[in-house]
Amino acid sequence: MSTTASATAVEGEVLDANRSLSEKQRRILDYLRSNAGAKTYFKSRLIADDLDLSAKEVGANMRPILDGDFDVSVEKWGYSSGTTWKVTV
């Protein structure tokens, strides 16, 4: 398989995974993709502020992103004055 075919297959898998997300979940994932460096930590309330959501909505919609196979890795990192998410690209 050529490199182009491999890249297209991976892009197709990401698109399929994105389709299984709700609109809020896609917005959160897009936010993480565009704002994460090699390793970044995000507070739910700060994501919520930027996306006009509540911190509770961010936390409730993070599960499919945590469980999904995406081009970012997300794990719940801490809970001190709100949930912190560790995001690795």
Side-chain angles (χ1 to χ4, degrees):
M1 183 186 298
S2 72
T3 304
T4 305
S6 296
T8 303
V10 169
E11 289 170 9
E13 290 170 13
V14 170
L15 288 174
D16 287 343
N18 281 343
R19 286 189 196 119
S20 67
L21 298 176
S22 72
E23 193 268 332
K24 285 181 187 177
Q25 293 160 352
R26 279 193 298 274
R27 287 176 52 209
I28 293 167
L29 181 59
D30 289 342
Y31 177 88
L32 296 175
R33 283 178 174 144
S34 63
N35 290 292
K39 189 184 295 181
T40 306
Y41 299 86
F42 293 92
K43 290 258 185 213
S44 286
R45 64 182 165 79
L46 299 177
I47 296 170
D49 288 345
D50 287 346
L51 297 179
D52 198 29
L53 299 170
S54 71
K56 187 173 184 175
E57 285 176 299
V58 171
N61 284 287
M62 199 63 87
R63 177 57 49 198
I65 297 169
L66 290 167
D67 294 341
D69 186 21
F70 299 102
D71 54 345
V72 296
S73 172
V74 180
E75 64 179 285
K76 193 172 186 175
W77 189 253
Y79 192 85
S80 173
S81 69
T83 303
T84 301
W85 304 97
K86 178 183 170 188
V87 180
T88 309
V89 180

